[in-house]
Amino acid sequence: MELIQQVPELSAYLVADEVIDHERPLVRRTAARLRVEAGDAYSYAKAAFEFVRDTIPHSHDAGDMRVTWRASDVLEQRTGICYAKSHALTALLRAGGIPAALCYQRLDGVVHGLVALRLPGRERWSRQDPRGGEPGAGAQFSLDEERLAFPVQPESNDMDYPVAYAAPHLMVLHALQSASDRESLWLHLPTEL
């Protein structure tokens, strides 16, 4: 799927903010540890993806009622739903100097969070799904073909939103920040963007 940049400057996809807080010490330490294990930008991006996918359980899969939304909190508490895991991966990629965007799909009537990245020398965004884990969810790191956890099923009224956001969508952020626990979050997940 071809993404359309919303923000004209690629540098906007390297910015730290309240949510993608890659200047925080925990994010920096995690990025530095991953960078030691990786030799180049591709290896670092793959290591960051696999770290978030494999070591931070999706809250629903783990039965964890906590709601995280800030990247550093996701890394510290080791829990988050798809949006939160996307925030953590975006922060790690940006900490490694890789432009990263947030993007979304609508699956089964609910908005699902993804990450898009642009490695040096590549002209297009590559979407990744750090959600990981439920049996049958085949999310894998890939630059050339999408290997998302849940592909869009057009006959089910699913859709991709073709926008690369530099910051989380306000509807997504509002849902996360206003939820007292995962159960209340589930009642207010965005169904459209």
Side-chain angles (χ1 to χ4, degrees), residues 108-142:
D108 294 326
V110 192
V111 174
H112 175 62
L114 304 169
V115 173
L117 60 95
R118 291 250 323 248
L119 287 180
R122 294 188 63 95
E123 294 299 315
R124 64 182 214 44
W125 293 99
S126 297
R127 291 192 315 167
Q128 310 297 323
D129 189 348
R131 189 239 185 264
E134 180 172 284
Q140 299 293 320
F141 185 81
S142 177

Side-chain angles (χ1 to χ4, degrees), residues 47-57 75 85-86 88-89 92 130:
F49 168 82
E50 290 175 348
F51 175 82
V52 172
R53 183 195 63 191
D54 299 343
T55 70
I56 300 172
L75 295 175
K85 290 181 66 148
S86 293
L89 178 56
L92 289 172

Side-chain angles (χ1 to χ4, degrees), residues 6 23 29 37 44 70 78 109 143 162 168 182:
Q6 183 173 349
E23 294 175 345
R29 281 193 310 273
E37 299 167 9
Y44 174 77
R70 185 178 289 120
R78 297 293 179 140
L143 297 180
R182 190 174 40 81

Side-chain angles (χ1 to χ4, degrees), residues 106-109 150-160:
R106 186 180 66 223
L107 302 170
D108 294 326
F150 306 105
V152 164
Q153 304 295 324
E155 65 277 1
S156 299
N157 206 24
D158 293 352
M159 68 176 286
D160 284 311

Side-chain angles (χ1 to χ4, degrees), residues 3-154:
L3 290 173
I4 302 166
Q5 268 188 295
Q6 183 173 349
V7 179
E9 295 294 324
L10 198 56
S11 63
Y13 300 98
L14 291 167
V15 170
D17 60 26
E18 181 183 19
V19 180
I20 312 300
D21 57 346
H22 64 79
E23 294 175 345
R24 302 279 302 207
L26 176 59
V27 179
R28 288 290 194 199
R29 281 193 310 273
T30 305
R33 190 176 74 246
L34 293 169
R35 199 172 304 118
V36 166
E37 299 167 9
D40 58 11
Y42 173 88
S43 298
Y44 174 77
K46 183 177 182 193
F49 168 82
E50 290 175 348
F51 175 82
V52 172
R53 183 195 63 191
D54 299 343
T55 70
I56 300 172
H58 188 281
S59 302
H60 176 72
D61 297 346
D64 194 325
M65 297 305 287
R66 295 175 293 168
V67 175
T68 54
W69 55 270
R70 185 178 289 120
S72 58
D73 292 340
V74 174
L75 295 175
E76 180 183 359
Q77 296 180 37
R78 297 293 179 140
T79 191
I81 68 165
C82 61
Y83 311 133
K85 290 181 66 148
S86 293
H87 298 167
L89 178 56
T90 299
L92 289 172
L93 291 169
R94 289 181 184 184
I98 297 171
L102 297 154
C103 47
Y104 304 93
Q105 301 173 300
R106 186 180 66 223
L107 302 170
D108 294 326
V110 192
V111 174
H112 175 62
L114 304 169
V115 173
L117 60 95
R118 291 250 323 248
L119 287 180
R122 294 188 63 95
E123 294 299 315
R124 64 182 214 44
W125 293 99
S126 297
R127 291 192 315 167
Q128 310 297 323
D129 189 348
R131 189 239 185 264
E134 180 172 284
Q140 299 293 320
F141 185 81
S142 177
L143 297 180
D144 297 319
E145 75 175 285
E146 289 190 345
R147 309 246 343 250
L148 307 177
F150 306 105
V152 164
Q153 304 295 324

